[in-house]
Amino acid sequence: MIVAFSVSPAGGDDDGGVSEAVARAVRVVRESGLPNETNAMFTNVEGEWDEVMDVVKRAVEAAGEGSPRVSLVLKADIRPGHTGQLSAKVERVEERLTGS
């Protein structure tokens, strides 16, 4: 499965930014060893249901350190028997764009 998620604590720094909290969450994901990528809006992580959800839970906890409330947006692509889809899905679209 692939999970795309965004996590943000209530509040933020003096400018309303949450980059420090988001960095804590992304660190959890990267240290998990699961395939992942982060973009401007979401962090994507790929693996089996239990391991992905455990990483998301720990990332939410890390982002929420010191905050009374955390917002989580999560979207999942559940496709049993398929791995490597984090890059393969993008490659299929790119092939169509280039006409290959």
Side-chain angles (χ1 to χ4, degrees):
M1 79 182 305
I2 298 173
V3 167
F5 76 99
S6 173
V7 60
S8 181
D13 60 25
D14 293 339
D15 295 330
V18 293
S19 61
E20 185 176 329
V22 171
R24 289 194 303 266
V26 171
R27 186 173 293 113
V28 168
V29 174
R30 291 184 179 174
E31 290 176 353
S32 75
L34 296 176
N36 67 83
E37 61 186 24
T38 299
N39 59 50
M41 296 292 293
F42 289 94
T43 294
N44 302 317
V45 61
E46 183 175 15
E48 296 299 319
W49 182 278
D50 290 338
E51 60 189 0
V52 169
M53 290 304 173
D54 176 63
V55 170
V56 170
K57 179 182 179 185
R58 291 186 293 116
V60 169
E61 290 169 348
E65 289 174 10
S67 179
R69 188 177 201 170
V70 178
S71 172
L72 171 67
V73 174
L74 185 143
K75 180 177 181 178
D77 180 1
I78 303 162
R79 194 171 183 198
H82 289 79
T83 59
Q85 295 303 298
L86 196 60
S87 58
K89 289 177 73 167
V90 176
E91 290 168 6
R92 288 192 294 271
V93 172
E94 290 295 336
E95 286 174 4
R96 296 212 179 247
L97 289 169
T98 61
S100 304

